[in-house]
C-alpha cells in the first residue's frame, strides 16, 4: 500500500470514528482475469473493481470508501474466504440505512424491514460482479477493534495439483495445476513438516525493502482427495510475497525426486532465494479462510501484529506495519 493510500485509509477510519461505521466484507473471486488484489493503474484488479463499485454507490456522499484487506493475493490467485473492511462516515452510513420509497404499484417494500447491508451487497455485486468473477458474499458491521489486515490470527490457503494418478477435469483447469508425471505425496508431506514453526522464510519470499520474512507456519500438509487430486493445505499467521507458491513448488520438487525432504530445511536455513525449484503457478492457489480472535481480543491482536517480530519471538513495537505484508 502506498503512502497516499495509507493516508486515505487513515482519514476514512477517522471519519468512521466520528459517527460513522466500519463494515466487514467477505469476498470470493476467480483470480484468472485479475492482476491481483491491489489496485494498479490501467490494470483490472479485485480491489479496483470493488472500490469502483463502492464509489458508484456512494457517489453523492463524500470521498469514496477504500478497502483494507486481509491478504493481498497475487495475479491469478483465487479466493473463497477473503476479508476486507471499509469505513463509512456518518453521511454515507445514513444514506445507506435510509429507507427506500415503496414502488409506485405498491409491490415493493417500504423499507421498514430492509437490511441496508443486504442492499449494499446487491448493489456492489450488480456493478463489480457483472462478469461473475468477483462476489461480495456478505457484509456486516465490524465489531470494535476489528482490522481486516492486522487482526487475523491466521490465513489459510489450498493448492491443487493433478498428477498422472488424478483425472484431468476440464472444469477445474483454471484452479488446478496439471503435472505431467507421478508425484510422491508421502515425501512431499515429510518435506512440508520440516518447515513448520516460527522461522525466517526469506528463502521462500520475494524480498521487499523493510519487510520482515519471519512467519509462524502453523500447518502444511499434502492430501490426495477422493478424486485423486493432490491438495496442499497451508496455514500461517501471515504469508509474505510468493511464500505459499514457493513452498508448494519446493515440495513438488521433493515429490518428483529432484531432492530429498530434508533439503527443504537446508534451503530455509540458507536464507536466500534459490533456483533449486520452481515457484508453482498462481492458478492452483486459493485463499480459503481468514481466522480472527474473539471480538474482545481484536484490538490487542491488531496491536501485536503491527509489531515487527524476530525469530526468538520478541517484538519491536517501533517497527509498526513492517510485518503486515500478507500476500499469497
Amino acid at each position: 500500500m502506498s503512502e497516499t493510500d495509507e493516508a486515505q485509509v487513515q482519514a476514512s477510519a477517522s471519519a468512521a470514528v466520528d459517527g460513522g461505521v466500519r463494515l466487514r466484507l467477505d469476498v470470493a473471486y476467480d483470480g484468472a482475469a485479475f492482476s491481483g488484489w491491489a489496485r494498479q493503474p490501467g490494470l483490472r484488479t479485485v480491489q479496483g473493481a470493488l472500490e469502483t463499485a463502492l464509489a458508484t454507490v456512494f457517489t453523492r456522499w463524500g470521498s469514496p470508501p477504500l478497502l483494507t484487506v486481509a491478504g493481498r493475493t497475487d495475479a491469478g490467485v483465487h479466493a473463497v474466504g477473503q476479508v476486507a473492511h471499509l469505513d463509512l462516515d456518518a453521511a454515507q452510513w445514513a444514506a445507506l440505512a435510509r429507507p427506500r420509497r415503496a414502488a409506485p404499484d405498491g409491490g415493493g417494500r417500504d423499507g421498514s424491514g430492509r437490511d441496508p447491508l443486504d442492499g449494499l451487497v446487491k448493489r456492489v455485486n450488480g456493478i463489480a460482479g457483472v462478469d461473475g468473477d468477483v462476489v461480495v458474499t456478505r457484509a456486516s458491521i465490524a465489531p470494535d477493534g476489528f482490522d481486516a489486515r492486522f487482526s487475523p490470527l491466521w490465513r489459510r490457503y489450498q493448492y491443487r495439483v493433478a498428477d498422472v494418478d488424478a483425472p484431468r477435469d476440464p472444469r477445474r483447469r483454471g484452479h488446478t495445476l496439471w503435472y505431467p508425471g507421478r508425484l510422491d505425496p508421502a515425501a512431499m508431506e515429510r518435506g512440508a513438516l520440516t518447515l513448520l514453526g516460527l522461522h525466517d522464510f526469506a528463502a521462500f519470499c520475494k524480498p521487499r525493502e523493510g519487510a520482515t520474512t519471519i512467519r509462524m507456519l502453523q500447518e502444511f500438509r499434502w492430501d490426495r482427495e477422493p478424486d485423486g487430486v493432490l491438495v496442499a493445505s497451508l496455514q500461517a499467521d501471515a504469508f509474505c510475497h510468493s511464500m505459499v507458491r514457493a513452498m508448494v513448488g519446493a515440495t513438488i520438487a521433493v515429490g518428483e525426486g529432484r531432492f530429498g525432504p530434508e533439503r527443504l530445511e537446508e534451503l530455509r536455513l540458507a536464507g536466500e532465494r534459490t533456483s533449486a525449484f520452481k515457484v508453482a503457478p498462481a492458478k492452483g492457489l486459493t485463499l480459503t479462510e481468514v481466522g480472527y480472535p474473539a471480538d474482545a481480543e481484536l484490538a490487542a491482536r491488531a496491536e501485536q501484529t503491527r509489531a515487527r517480530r524476530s525469530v526468538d519471538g520478541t517484538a519491536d513495537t517501533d517497527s509498526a506495519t513492517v510485518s503486515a505484508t500478507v500476500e499469497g
Side-chain angles (χ1 to χ4, degrees), residues 16-279:
V17 170
D18 297 332
V21 173
R22 172 163 290 186
L23 301 182
R24 167 177 168 160
L25 299 184
D26 292 84
V27 184
Y29 47 88
D30 183 318
F34 291 103
S35 297
W37 167 271
R39 183 176 55 251
Q40 301 178 62
L43 296 176
R44 185 172 184 251
T45 69
V46 182
Q47 182 182 17
L50 292 175
E51 288 185 346
T52 296
L54 289 167
T56 301
V57 171
F58 295 103
T59 187
R60 296 169 53 193
W61 292 280
S63 299
L66 301 177
L67 294 171
T68 298
V69 73
R72 297 191 300 270
T73 51
D74 289 338
V77 176
H78 318 291
V80 294
Q82 181 67 278
V83 179
H85 78 245
L86 66 147
D87 294 315
L88 302 181
D89 62 31
Q92 290 168 332
W93 175 244
L96 185 65
R98 183 180 301 123
R100 293 186 179 181
R101 297 176 180 175
D105 61 1
R109 292 179 296 174
D110 63 5
S112 59
R114 170 179 167 268
D115 184 343
L117 298 180
D118 288 345
L120 176 64
V121 169
K122 182 176 181 180
R123 295 174 71 186
V124 169
N125 286 339
I127 301 169
V130 66
D131 294 325
D133 54 0
V134 57
V135 176
V136 176
T137 58
R138 182 172 180 262
S140 57
I141 296 176
D144 291 343
F146 178 83
D147 188 299
R149 181 183 182 191
F150 290 109
S151 294
L153 293 171
W154 45 263
R155 284 92 170 162
R156 188 171 183 83
Y157 285 85
Q158 287 190 342
Y159 195 98
R160 293 171 49 86
V161 181
D163 64 359
V164 294
D165 291 328
R168 302 294 176 87
D169 185 348
R171 298 169 301 172
R172 301 300 299 272
R173 68 188 185 280
H175 305 88
T176 306
L177 172 65
W178 286 1
Y179 182 80
R182 178 170 286 107
L183 295 171
D184 181 351
M188 295 160 70
E189 175 91 352
R190 291 196 297 272
L193 291 176
T194 68
L195 300 176
L196 295 179
L198 179 66
H199 303 297
D200 188 336
F201 287 94
F204 300 96
C205 299
K206 287 185 179 180
R208 292 201 166 184
E209 185 177 355
T212 182
T213 50
I214 297 170
R215 296 290 189 268
M216 172 63 81
L217 183 62
Q218 301 160 345
E219 180 183 343
F220 186 8
R221 74 173 194 268
W222 281 93
D223 298 296
R224 193 177 288 278
E225 298 290 280
D227 63 0
V229 174
L230 288 168
V231 178
S233 299
L234 303 93
Q235 180 176 302
D237 55 351
F239 292 95
C240 50
H241 192 201
S242 192
M243 178 177 166
V244 177
R245 293 192 291 122
M247 292 193 300
V248 168
T251 53
I252 288 176
V254 171
E256 64 188 9
R258 191 181 308 175
F259 46 72
E262 68 285 347
R263 178 63 174 152
L264 298 191
E265 184 176 18
E266 296 171 359
L267 293 172
R268 178 182 61 75
L269 291 172
E272 297 179 350
R273 296 281 286 185
T274 176
S275 59
F277 59 85
K278 294 181 179 179
V279 174

